[in-house]
Amino acid sequence: MTFTLLMNQMIKFFLIMALGYFLFKKNFTDIEFNKRLSRILLNITLPALILNSVLTQTERPAAVSVFSVFLTALLIYLFLPLVGMFAARFFPADQTQKNLYAFMTAYSNIGFMGFPIIDALYGTTAVLYTAIFNIMFNLSCYTLGTAIMTRNSETGTRINLRHLVNPGFLLSIASIVVYFLNPPFPKALADTVAAVGGITTPLSMLLIGSTLATNSVKEIFSDKFLYLYTVFRQILLPLVSLGLIHLLIKDELIQNVTCVMMLMPAANSCVMFANEYSADEKLASKSVFLTTLLSVITIPLGVSLLL
């Protein structure tokens, strides 16, 4: 994909996000709508997109490639929490906020941005690879991520693996099983899965825009340190990561998928975790807003380095 086509793709995403922002401000949507749409995306359309990535494979990637992606994702989600904890030590914040900064550094928006962008850029094989990243994301997020959020807390580390039992995680695993077993699927069923998965991208961008509109713009842009953190997270960390990825990964598609994962903004789940563990929910919300806003520029610039 040329840089011009990529920019057109990102502009399309941005315009749909802007539409979501406008709809919220004009009361076409509200916080309850956002919650319901989020559940639809996570439980129905995103799992369909993941499953469709397997059903539409014309040339199935070799098992060694799938294993390589598993290994890459495992190392990424062991490495990033360590980077987050190390970097947060130098931030001017209390311990609870440092825990949140570490979490936000480690976990990116794979679900609502990663899958749609990967699908648009690289197609179904890359979506399958992203599903593997999603498996490791969930495993890391609900184990290491929970440990990070509860560091030095009075209640101690509280890891709840029941959160792993969600359609996105289960369908990611099921897609890998389907990939290896390659069972026959009725065409009508496969077409339905493709159609439902196909609405993930516009709905997710609409949701991001509507969610961003819940923030006070004045309050967001008054936090000066958040500017520095956003630059660190969306520019410095990806630049270093892209260099390491190019050195360590030789398969071009795996390399590209991994790089795009590193370019994603802070995950929406950062706000959920901040609420769950009594952290600074406003800080999480502002960080998701700013990193997402900057990612509209940094994603196409980062991907252009891969071309």
Side-chain angles (χ1 to χ4, degrees):
M1 179 176 286
T2 66
F3 182 75
T4 302
L5 289 174
L6 173 62
M7 281 303 300
N8 288 338
Q9 193 69 42
M10 291 307 300
I11 290 170
K12 180 181 75 173
F13 288 161
F14 178 77
L15 290 175
I16 299 175
M17 282 190 275
L19 175 61
Y21 189 97
F22 172 81
L23 291 175
F24 186 92
K25 291 299 183 182
K26 294 300 180 181
N27 297 318
F28 285 95
T29 63
D30 54 23
I31 292 174
E32 184 59 31
F33 173 86
N34 290 347
K35 290 179 180 178
R36 290 177 182 274
L37 182 56
S38 178
R39 288 198 294 269
I40 290 172
L41 279 162
L42 289 174
N43 296 315
I44 299 174
T45 73
L46 182 57
L49 178 67
I50 295 169
L51 182 57
N52 184 60
S53 71
V54 177
L55 299 182
T56 56
Q57 291 289 325
T58 52
E59 294 183 9
R60 307 175 81 79
V64 66
S65 297
V66 174
F67 177 76
S68 296
V69 179
F70 264 113
L71 182 59
T72 301
L74 173 64
L75 293 176
I76 288 287
Y77 286 113
L78 287 175
F79 176 69
L80 285 179
L82 295 176
V83 171
M85 287 188 289
F86 177 78
R89 294 172 57 190
F90 303 99
F91 296 164
D94 61 37
Q95 185 58 51
T96 301
Q97 289 177 324
K98 287 182 178 182
N99 292 346
L100 181 56
Y101 276 122
F103 186 92
M104 292 189 298
T105 300
Y107 300 106
S108 299
N109 194 340
I110 291 181
F112 293 135
M113 286 195 77
F115 277 103
I117 290 174
I118 288 291
D119 187 33
L121 290 176
Y122 302 115
T124 55
T125 298
V127 170
L128 174 63
Y129 290 169
T130 307
I132 297 171
F133 270 89
N134 186 54
I135 292 170
M136 292 305 173
F137 172 94
N138 279 280
L139 285 172
S140 178
C141 188
Y142 287 106
T143 53
L144 294 178
T146 301
I148 289 172
M149 290 296 291
T150 55
R151 282 191 307 163
N152 303 319
S153 68
E154 294 180 0
T155 57
T157 301
R158 307 192 303 274
I159 296 176
N160 189 352
L161 294 180
R162 285 181 297 175
H163 289 296
L164 290 174
V165 184
N166 61 76
F169 178 76
L170 296 177
L171 257 293
S172 293
I173 293 177
S175 296
I176 306 303
V177 174
V178 170
Y179 160 77
F180 282 111
L181 298 181
N182 194 22
F185 267 79
K187 187 178 187 304
L189 178 59
D191 289 347
T192 302
V193 170
V196 174
I199 65 175
T200 300
T201 297
L203 284 184
S204 62
M205 296 301 138
L206 199 69
L207 175 63
I208 290 170
S210 186
T211 303
L212 293 180
T214 63
N215 293 276
S216 166
V217 175
K218 181 179 179 181
E219 187 177 350
I220 291 169
F221 289 101
S222 64
D223 191 334
K224 294 180 180 178
F225 177 72
L226 205 51
Y227 290 141
L228 296 176
Y229 173 72
T230 302
V231 169
F232 160 74
R233 198 199 182 288
Q234 293 305 118
I235 297 177
L236 296 181
L237 182 60
L239 278 176
V240 174
S241 301
L242 264 58
L244 290 173
I245 290 166
H246 273 278
L247 284 175
L248 300 175
I249 301 175
K250 302 306 178 186
D251 184 287
E252 184 177 356
L253 183 57
I254 298 175
Q255 186 184 93
N256 289 346
V257 169
T258 308
C259 287
V260 172
M261 292 296 99
M262 297 302 301
L263 291 166
M264 292 297 109
N268 290 11
S269 56
C270 295
V271 180
M272 180 187 73
F273 269 72
N275 180 60
E276 175 75 18
Y277 297 107
S278 302
D280 193 334
E281 190 175 348
K282 282 190 174 181
L283 174 61
S285 183
K286 290 189 292 185
S287 300
V288 170
F289 182 99
L290 280 181
T291 56
T292 302
L293 196 62
L294 186 58
S295 73
V296 174
I297 299 171
T298 56
I299 289 174
L301 287 178
V303 172
S304 69
L305 297 176
L306 310 176
L307 299 177

PDB file of all heavy atoms in Angstrom, residues 19-21 23-24 27-41 112 202-211 214:
ATOM      1  N   LEU A  19     -17.219  12.004  12.960  1.00  0.00           N
ATOM      2  CA  LEU A  19     -18.664  11.841  12.918  1.00  0.00           C
ATOM      3  C   LEU A  19     -19.178  11.330  14.266  1.00  0.00           C
ATOM      4  O   LEU A  19     -20.201  11.817  14.781  1.00  0.00           O
ATOM      5  CB  LEU A  19     -19.055  10.867  11.804  1.00  0.00           C
ATOM      6  CG  LEU A  19     -20.538  10.491  11.715  1.00  0.00           C
ATOM      7  CD1 LEU A  19     -21.397  11.733  11.460  1.00  0.00           C
ATOM      8  CD2 LEU A  19     -20.761   9.447  10.627  1.00  0.00           C
ATOM      9  N   GLY A  20     -18.458  10.358  14.847  1.00  0.00           N
ATOM     10  CA  GLY A  20     -18.837   9.840  16.158  1.00  0.00           C
ATOM     11  C   GLY A  20     -18.789  10.931  17.223  1.00  0.00           C
ATOM     12  O   GLY A  20     -19.673  11.018  18.087  1.00  0.00           O
ATOM     13  N   TYR A  21     -17.764  11.773  17.150  1.00  0.00           N
ATOM     14  CA  TYR A  21     -17.624  12.902  18.084  1.00  0.00           C
ATOM     15  C   TYR A  21     -18.814  13.856  17.932  1.00  0.00           C
ATOM     16  O   TYR A  21     -19.438  14.276  18.916  1.00  0.00           O
ATOM     17  CB  TYR A  21     -16.311  13.637  17.791  1.00  0.00           C
ATOM     18  CG  TYR A  21     -15.932  14.688  18.804  1.00  0.00           C
ATOM     19  CD1 TYR A  21     -15.031  14.393  19.830  1.00  0.00           C
ATOM     20  CD2 TYR A  21     -16.451  15.980  18.746  1.00  0.00           C
ATOM     21  CE1 TYR A  21     -14.663  15.354  20.759  1.00  0.00           C
ATOM     22  CE2 TYR A  21     -16.096  16.943  19.668  1.00  0.00           C
ATOM     23  CZ  TYR A  21     -15.206  16.628  20.670  1.00  0.00           C
ATOM     24  OH  TYR A  21     -14.846  17.583  21.600  1.00  0.00           O
ATOM     25  N   LEU A  23     -21.822  13.235  16.638  1.00  0.00           N
ATOM     26  CA  LEU A  23     -23.074  12.612  17.045  1.00  0.00           C
ATOM     27  C   LEU A  23     -23.266  12.658  18.555  1.00  0.00           C
ATOM     28  O   LEU A  23     -24.382  12.854  19.052  1.00  0.00           O
ATOM     29  CB  LEU A  23     -23.127  11.157  16.551  1.00  0.00           C
ATOM     30  CG  LEU A  23     -23.251  10.970  15.031  1.00  0.00           C
ATOM     31  CD1 LEU A  23     -23.174   9.494  14.678  1.00  0.00           C
ATOM     32  CD2 LEU A  23     -24.544  11.574  14.504  1.00  0.00           C
ATOM     33  N   PHE A  24     -22.153  12.470  19.299  1.00  0.00           N
ATOM     34  CA  PHE A  24     -22.255  12.543  20.760  1.00  0.00           C
ATOM     35  C   PHE A  24     -22.580  13.963  21.203  1.00  0.00           C
ATOM     36  O   PHE A  24     -23.445  14.174  22.063  1.00  0.00           O
ATOM     37  CB  PHE A  24     -20.953  12.079  21.418  1.00  0.00           C
ATOM     38  CG  PHE A  24     -21.036  11.984  22.922  1.00  0.00           C
ATOM     39  CD1 PHE A  24     -21.403  10.788  23.528  1.00  0.00           C
ATOM     40  CD2 PHE A  24     -20.768  13.084  23.726  1.00  0.00           C
ATOM     41  CE1 PHE A  24     -21.497  10.695  24.917  1.00  0.00           C
ATOM     42  CE2 PHE A  24     -20.853  13.004  25.106  1.00  0.00           C
ATOM     43  CZ  PHE A  24     -21.227  11.804  25.702  1.00  0.00           C
ATOM     44  N   ASN A  27     -26.093  14.825  20.823  1.00  0.00           N
ATOM     45  CA  ASN A  27     -27.005  13.963  21.585  1.00  0.00           C
ATOM     46  C   ASN A  27     -27.665  12.855  20.758  1.00  0.00           C
ATOM     47  O   ASN A  27     -28.703  12.318  21.158  1.00  0.00           O
ATOM     48  CB  ASN A  27     -28.092  14.792  22.274  1.00  0.00           C
ATOM     49  CG  ASN A  27     -27.519  15.763  23.292  1.00  0.00           C
ATOM     50  OD1 ASN A  27     -26.611  15.417  24.051  1.00  0.00           O
ATOM     51  ND2 ASN A  27     -28.015  16.984  23.297  1.00  0.00           N
ATOM     52  N   PHE A  28     -27.081  12.520  19.606  1.00  0.00           N
ATOM     53  CA  PHE A  28     -27.545  11.344  18.886  1.00  0.00           C
ATOM     54  C   PHE A  28     -27.073  10.074  19.603  1.00  0.00           C
ATOM     55  O   PHE A  28     -27.706   9.021  19.505  1.00  0.00           O
ATOM     56  CB  PHE A  28     -27.026  11.341  17.451  1.00  0.00           C
ATOM     57  CG  PHE A  28     -27.737  12.307  16.545  1.00  0.00           C
ATOM     58  CD1 PHE A  28     -27.227  13.581  16.320  1.00  0.00           C
ATOM     59  CD2 PHE A  28     -28.922  11.944  15.917  1.00  0.00           C
ATOM     60  CE1 PHE A  28     -27.881  14.471  15.490  1.00  0.00           C
ATOM     61  CE2 PHE A  28     -29.581  12.829  15.082  1.00  0.00           C
ATOM     62  CZ  PHE A  28     -29.070  14.103  14.863  1.00  0.00           C
ATOM     63  N   THR A  29     -25.933  10.182  20.268  1.00  0.00           N
ATOM     64  CA  THR A  29     -25.410   9.081  21.064  1.00  0.00           C
ATOM     65  C   THR A  29     -25.158   9.594  22.481  1.00  0.00           C
ATOM     66  O   THR A  29     -25.123  10.799  22.721  1.00  0.00           O
ATOM     67  CB  THR A  29     -24.098   8.521  20.475  1.00  0.00           C
ATOM     68  OG1 THR A  29     -23.079   9.546  20.502  1.00  0.00           O
ATOM     69  CG2 THR A  29     -24.284   8.054  19.046  1.00  0.00           C
ATOM     70  N   ASP A  30     -24.959   8.657  23.406  1.00  0.00           N
ATOM     71  CA  ASP A  30     -24.641   9.032  24.782  1.00  0.00           C
ATOM     72  C   ASP A  30     -23.761   7.950  25.399  1.00  0.00           C
ATOM     73  O   ASP A  30     -23.365   6.999  24.717  1.00  0.00           O
ATOM     74  CB  ASP A  30     -25.918   9.246  25.608  1.00  0.00           C
ATOM     75  CG  ASP A  30     -26.858   8.038  25.561  1.00  0.00           C
ATOM     76  OD1 ASP A  30     -26.379   6.911  25.292  1.00  0.00           O
ATOM     77  OD2 ASP A  30     -28.070   8.216  25.779  1.00  0.00           O
ATOM     78  N   ILE A  31     -23.456   8.096  26.676  1.00  0.00           N
ATOM     79  CA  ILE A  31     -22.551   7.151  27.340  1.00  0.00           C
ATOM     80  C   ILE A  31     -23.144   5.739  27.333  1.00  0.00           C
ATOM     81  O   ILE A  31     -22.429   4.754  27.109  1.00  0.00           O
ATOM     82  CB  ILE A  31     -22.251   7.613  28.774  1.00  0.00           C
ATOM     83  CG1 ILE A  31     -21.418   8.906  28.743  1.00  0.00           C
ATOM     84  CG2 ILE A  31     -21.508   6.528  29.549  1.00  0.00           C
ATOM     85  CD1 ILE A  31     -21.171   9.530  30.095  1.00  0.00           C
ATOM     86  N   GLU A  32     -24.449   5.628  27.539  1.00  0.00           N
ATOM     87  CA  GLU A  32     -25.094   4.311  27.531  1.00  0.00           C
ATOM     88  C   GLU A  32     -25.012   3.677  26.137  1.00  0.00           C
ATOM     89  O   GLU A  32     -24.777   2.468  26.002  1.00  0.00           O
ATOM     90  CB  GLU A  32     -26.549   4.437  27.968  1.00  0.00           C
ATOM     91  CG  GLU A  32     -27.283   3.110  28.080  1.00  0.00           C
ATOM     92  CD  GLU A  32     -26.649   2.151  29.067  1.00  0.00           C
ATOM     93  OE1 GLU A  32     -26.056   2.616  30.068  1.00  0.00           O
ATOM     94  OE2 GLU A  32     -26.737   0.928  28.829  1.00  0.00           O
ATOM     95  N   PHE A  33     -25.185   4.506  25.090  1.00  0.00           N
ATOM     96  CA  PHE A  33     -25.046   4.003  23.721  1.00  0.00           C
ATOM     97  C   PHE A  33     -23.627   3.481  23.492  1.00  0.00           C
ATOM     98  O   PHE A  33     -23.433   2.422  22.880  1.00  0.00           O
ATOM     99  CB  PHE A  33     -25.356   5.118  22.720  1.00  0.00           C
ATOM    100  CG  PHE A  33     -25.076   4.759  21.283  1.00  0.00           C
ATOM    101  CD1 PHE A  33     -26.030   4.110  20.513  1.00  0.00           C
ATOM    102  CD2 PHE A  33     -23.838   5.062  20.701  1.00  0.00           C
ATOM    103  CE1 PHE A  33     -25.768   3.774  19.195  1.00  0.00           C
ATOM    104  CE2 PHE A  33     -23.570   4.723  19.388  1.00  0.00           C
ATOM    105  CZ  PHE A  33     -24.537   4.074  18.634  1.00  0.00           C
ATOM    106  N   ASN A  34     -22.628   4.234  23.976  1.00  0.00           N
ATOM    107  CA  ASN A  34     -21.235   3.811  23.822  1.00  0.00           C
ATOM    108  C   ASN A  34     -20.995   2.456  24.477  1.00  0.00           C
ATOM    109  O   ASN A  34     -20.299   1.595  23.926  1.00  0.00           O
ATOM    110  CB  ASN A  34     -20.292   4.853  24.420  1.00  0.00           C
ATOM    111  CG  ASN A  34     -20.253   6.143  23.617  1.00  0.00           C
ATOM    112  OD1 ASN A  34     -20.747   6.199  22.481  1.00  0.00           O
ATOM    113  ND2 ASN A  34     -19.683   7.182  24.185  1.00  0.00           N
ATOM    114  N   LYS A  35     -21.570   2.270  25.654  1.00  0.00           N
ATOM    115  CA  LYS A  35     -21.387   1.003  26.361  1.00  0.00           C
ATOM    116  C   LYS A  35     -22.028  -0.147  25.578  1.00  0.00           C
ATOM    117  O   LYS A  35     -21.440  -1.231  25.443  1.00  0.00           O
ATOM    118  CB  LYS A  35     -22.005   1.085  27.752  1.00  0.00           C
ATOM    119  CG  LYS A  35     -21.255   1.992  28.719  1.00  0.00           C
ATOM    120  CD  LYS A  35     -21.952   2.042  30.070  1.00  0.00           C
ATOM    121  CE  LYS A  35     -21.199   2.945  31.042  1.00  0.00           C
ATOM    122  NZ  LYS A  35     -21.898   3.039  32.354  1.00  0.00           N
ATOM    123  N   ARG A  36     -23.213   0.100  25.049  1.00  0.00           N
ATOM    124  CA  ARG A  36     -23.910  -0.951  24.298  1.00  0.00           C
ATOM    125  C   ARG A  36     -23.177  -1.274  22.990  1.00  0.00           C
ATOM    126  O   ARG A  36     -23.022  -2.450  22.623  1.00  0.00           O
ATOM    127  CB  ARG A  36     -25.345  -0.517  24.004  1.00  0.00           C
ATOM    128  CG  ARG A  36     -26.238  -0.465  25.224  1.00  0.00           C
ATOM    129  CD  ARG A  36     -27.632   0.035  24.878  1.00  0.00           C
ATOM    130  NE  ARG A  36     -28.473   0.134  26.055  1.00  0.00           N
ATOM    131  CZ  ARG A  36     -29.190  -0.858  26.571  1.00  0.00           C
ATOM    132  NH1 ARG A  36     -29.155  -2.047  25.980  1.00  0.00           N
ATOM    133  NH2 ARG A  36     -29.921  -0.693  27.644  1.00  0.00           N
ATOM    134  N   LEU A  37     -22.715  -0.226  22.303  1.00  0.00           N
ATOM    135  CA  LEU A  37     -21.987  -0.439  21.048  1.00  0.00           C
ATOM    136  C   LEU A  37     -20.674  -1.160  21.315  1.00  0.00           C
ATOM    137  O   LEU A  37     -20.259  -2.030  20.525  1.00  0.00           O
ATOM    138  CB  LEU A  37     -21.732   0.899  20.345  1.00  0.00           C
ATOM    139  CG  LEU A  37     -21.021   0.832  18.991  1.00  0.00           C
ATOM    140  CD1 LEU A  37     -21.779  -0.068  18.014  1.00  0.00           C
ATOM    141  CD2 LEU A  37     -20.853   2.233  18.396  1.00  0.00           C
ATOM    142  N   SER A  38     -20.023  -0.815  22.411  1.00  0.00           N
ATOM    143  CA  SER A  38     -18.781  -1.495  22.775  1.00  0.00           C
ATOM    144  C   SER A  38     -19.009  -2.984  22.979  1.00  0.00           C
ATOM    145  O   SER A  38     -18.213  -3.818  22.523  1.00  0.00           O
ATOM    146  CB  SER A  38     -18.215  -0.868  24.058  1.00  0.00           C
ATOM    147  OG  SER A  38     -17.044  -1.536  24.464  1.00  0.00           O
ATOM    148  N   ARG A  39     -20.123  -3.335  23.638  1.00  0.00           N
ATOM    149  CA  ARG A  39     -20.435  -4.755  23.848  1.00  0.00           C
ATOM    150  C   ARG A  39     -20.712  -5.466  22.537  1.00  0.00           C
ATOM    151  O   ARG A  39     -20.326  -6.624  22.340  1.00  0.00           O
ATOM    152  CB  ARG A  39     -21.623  -4.897  24.809  1.00  0.00           C
ATOM    153  CG  ARG A  39     -21.297  -4.563  26.252  1.00  0.00           C
ATOM    154  CD  ARG A  39     -22.344  -5.137  27.208  1.00  0.00           C
ATOM    155  NE  ARG A  39     -23.637  -4.509  27.032  1.00  0.00           N
ATOM    156  CZ  ARG A  39     -24.051  -3.428  27.700  1.00  0.00           C
ATOM    157  NH1 ARG A  39     -23.244  -2.850  28.569  1.00  0.00           N
ATOM    158  NH2 ARG A  39     -25.255  -2.928  27.508  1.00  0.00           N
ATOM    159  N   ILE A  40     -21.410  -4.779  21.621  1.00  0.00           N
ATOM    160  CA  ILE A  40     -21.693  -5.373  20.307  1.00  0.00           C
ATOM    161  C   ILE A  40     -20.391  -5.641  19.555  1.00  0.00           C
ATOM    162  O   ILE A  40     -20.199  -6.711  18.956  1.00  0.00           O
ATOM    163  CB  ILE A  40     -22.615  -4.450  19.484  1.00  0.00           C
ATOM    164  CG1 ILE A  40     -24.019  -4.416  20.083  1.00  0.00           C
ATOM    165  CG2 ILE A  40     -22.688  -4.914  18.020  1.00  0.00           C
ATOM    166  CD1 ILE A  40     -24.938  -3.383  19.467  1.00  0.00           C
ATOM    167  N   LEU A  41     -19.479  -4.670  19.593  1.00  0.00           N
ATOM    168  CA  LEU A  41     -18.201  -4.819  18.898  1.00  0.00           C
ATOM    169  C   LEU A  41     -17.385  -5.960  19.487  1.00  0.00           C
ATOM    170  O   LEU A  41     -16.885  -6.832  18.766  1.00  0.00           O
ATOM    171  CB  LEU A  41     -17.411  -3.506  18.964  1.00  0.00           C
ATOM    172  CG  LEU A  41     -17.812  -2.432  17.955  1.00  0.00           C
ATOM    173  CD1 LEU A  41     -17.295  -1.067  18.391  1.00  0.00           C
ATOM    174  CD2 LEU A  41     -17.280  -2.772  16.574  1.00  0.00           C
ATOM    175  N   PHE A 112     -10.215  -2.134  18.971  1.00  0.00           N
ATOM    176  CA  PHE A 112     -10.987  -1.134  18.242  1.00  0.00           C
ATOM    177  C   PHE A 112     -10.208  -0.455  17.121  1.00  0.00           C
ATOM    178  O   PHE A 112     -10.798   0.096  16.199  1.00  0.00           O
ATOM    179  CB  PHE A 112     -11.523  -0.072  19.206  1.00  0.00           C
ATOM    180  CG  PHE A 112     -12.543  -0.605  20.165  1.00  0.00           C
ATOM    181  CD1 PHE A 112     -12.488  -0.292  21.510  1.00  0.00           C
ATOM    182  CD2 PHE A 112     -13.555  -1.441  19.729  1.00  0.00           C
ATOM    183  CE1 PHE A 112     -13.427  -0.785  22.397  1.00  0.00           C
ATOM    184  CE2 PHE A 112     -14.503  -1.942  20.605  1.00  0.00           C
ATOM    185  CZ  PHE A 112     -14.436  -1.617  21.950  1.00  0.00           C
ATOM    186  N   PRO A 202     -16.083   0.529  10.581  1.00  0.00           N
ATOM    187  CA  PRO A 202     -16.807   1.788  10.759  1.00  0.00           C
ATOM    188  C   PRO A 202     -17.410   1.940  12.151  1.00  0.00           C
ATOM    189  O   PRO A 202     -17.393   3.036  12.721  1.00  0.00           O
ATOM    190  CB  PRO A 202     -17.895   1.732   9.671  1.00  0.00           C
ATOM    191  CG  PRO A 202     -18.004   0.297   9.288  1.00  0.00           C
ATOM    192  CD  PRO A 202     -16.654  -0.283   9.483  1.00  0.00           C
ATOM    193  N   LEU A 203     -17.912   0.848  12.727  1.00  0.00           N
ATOM    194  CA  LEU A 203     -18.507   0.938  14.055  1.00  0.00           C
ATOM    195  C   LEU A 203     -17.463   1.265  15.116  1.00  0.00           C
ATOM    196  O   LEU A 203     -17.711   2.057  16.032  1.00  0.00           O
ATOM    197  CB  LEU A 203     -19.214  -0.371  14.418  1.00  0.00           C
ATOM    198  CG  LEU A 203     -20.571  -0.646  13.772  1.00  0.00           C
ATOM    199  CD1 LEU A 203     -21.168  -1.936  14.330  1.00  0.00           C
ATOM    200  CD2 LEU A 203     -21.535   0.509  14.009  1.00  0.00           C
ATOM    201  N   SER A 204     -16.278   0.663  14.999  1.00  0.00           N
ATOM    202  CA  SER A 204     -15.232   0.914  16.001  1.00  0.00           C
ATOM    203  C   SER A 204     -14.736   2.349  15.932  1.00  0.00           C
ATOM    204  O   SER A 204     -14.502   2.991  16.964  1.00  0.00           O
ATOM    205  CB  SER A 204     -14.070  -0.072  15.824  1.00  0.00           C
ATOM    206  OG  SER A 204     -13.451   0.083  14.566  1.00  0.00           O
ATOM    207  N   MET A 205     -14.576   2.892  14.718  1.00  0.00           N
ATOM    208  CA  MET A 205     -14.144   4.281  14.580  1.00  0.00           C
ATOM    209  C   MET A 205     -15.227   5.242  15.094  1.00  0.00           C
ATOM    210  O   MET A 205     -14.927   6.255  15.730  1.00  0.00           O
ATOM    211  CB  MET A 205     -13.818   4.603  13.118  1.00  0.00           C
ATOM    212  CG  MET A 205     -12.656   3.807  12.560  1.00  0.00           C
ATOM    213  SD  MET A 205     -11.130   4.071  13.496  1.00  0.00           S
ATOM    214  CE  MET A 205     -10.503   2.392  13.583  1.00  0.00           C
ATOM    215  N   LEU A 206     -16.485   4.900  14.837  1.00  0.00           N
ATOM    216  CA  LEU A 206     -17.600   5.706  15.335  1.00  0.00           C
ATOM    217  C   LEU A 206     -17.597   5.706  16.864  1.00  0.00           C
ATOM    218  O   LEU A 206     -17.788   6.755  17.506  1.00  0.00           O
ATOM    219  CB  LEU A 206     -18.916   5.132  14.812  1.00  0.00           C
ATOM    220  CG  LEU A 206     -20.147   6.038  14.817  1.00  0.00           C
ATOM    221  CD1 LEU A 206     -19.998   7.155  13.789  1.00  0.00           C
ATOM    222  CD2 LEU A 206     -21.404   5.224  14.502  1.00  0.00           C
ATOM    223  N   LEU A 207     -17.353   4.536  17.453  1.00  0.00           N
ATOM    224  CA  LEU A 207     -17.317   4.426  18.908  1.00  0.00           C
ATOM    225  C   LEU A 207     -16.166   5.226  19.501  1.00  0.00           C
ATOM    226  O   LEU A 207     -16.333   5.905  20.525  1.00  0.00           O
ATOM    227  CB  LEU A 207     -17.201   2.956  19.315  1.00  0.00           C
ATOM    228  CG  LEU A 207     -17.042   2.694  20.818  1.00  0.00           C
ATOM    229  CD1 LEU A 207     -18.268   3.177  21.580  1.00  0.00           C
ATOM    230  CD2 LEU A 207     -16.790   1.218  21.087  1.00  0.00           C
ATOM    231  N   ILE A 208     -14.988   5.143  18.881  1.00  0.00           N
ATOM    232  CA  ILE A 208     -13.841   5.898  19.391  1.00  0.00           C
ATOM    233  C   ILE A 208     -14.154   7.387  19.406  1.00  0.00           C
ATOM    234  O   ILE A 208     -13.902   8.090  20.387  1.00  0.00           O
ATOM    235  CB  ILE A 208     -12.578   5.607  18.551  1.00  0.00           C
ATOM    236  CG1 ILE A 208     -12.095   4.174  18.809  1.00  0.00           C
ATOM    237  CG2 ILE A 208     -11.470   6.601  18.884  1.00  0.00           C
ATOM    238  CD1 ILE A 208     -11.023   3.721  17.855  1.00  0.00           C
ATOM    239  N   GLY A 209     -14.731   7.897  18.298  1.00  0.00           N
ATOM    240  CA  GLY A 209     -15.078   9.310  18.233  1.00  0.00           C
ATOM    241  C   GLY A 209     -16.103   9.688  19.280  1.00  0.00           C
ATOM    242  O   GLY A 209     -15.967  10.723  19.963  1.00  0.00           O
ATOM    243  N   SER A 210     -17.124   8.863  19.460  1.00  0.00           N
ATOM    244  CA  SER A 210     -18.165   9.136  20.446  1.00  0.00           C
ATOM    245  C   SER A 210     -17.613   9.071  21.864  1.00  0.00           C
ATOM    246  O   SER A 210     -17.993   9.860  22.738  1.00  0.00           O
ATOM    247  CB  SER A 210     -19.311   8.129  20.281  1.00  0.00           C
ATOM    248  OG  SER A 210     -20.391   8.435  21.130  1.00  0.00           O
ATOM    249  N   THR A 211     -16.674   8.151  22.100  1.00  0.00           N
ATOM    250  CA  THR A 211     -16.048   8.037  23.426  1.00  0.00           C
ATOM    251  C   THR A 211     -15.156   9.231  23.718  1.00  0.00           C
ATOM    252  O   THR A 211     -15.135   9.756  24.836  1.00  0.00           O
ATOM    253  CB  THR A 211     -15.237   6.730  23.515  1.00  0.00           C
ATOM    254  OG1 THR A 211     -16.091   5.616  23.244  1.00  0.00           O
ATOM    255  CG2 THR A 211     -14.623   6.570  24.897  1.00  0.00           C
ATOM    256  N   THR A 214     -16.672  12.326  25.251  1.00  0.00           N
ATOM    257  CA  THR A 214     -17.075  12.357  26.661  1.00  0.00           C
ATOM    258  C   THR A 214     -16.078  13.120  27.515  1.00  0.00           C
ATOM    259  O   THR A 214     -16.349  13.393  28.682  1.00  0.00           O
ATOM    260  CB  THR A 214     -17.221  10.926  27.220  1.00  0.00           C
ATOM    261  OG1 THR A 214     -15.942  10.260  27.177  1.00  0.00           O
ATOM    262  CG2 THR A 214     -18.231  10.125  26.410  1.00  0.00           C
TER     263      THR A 214
END
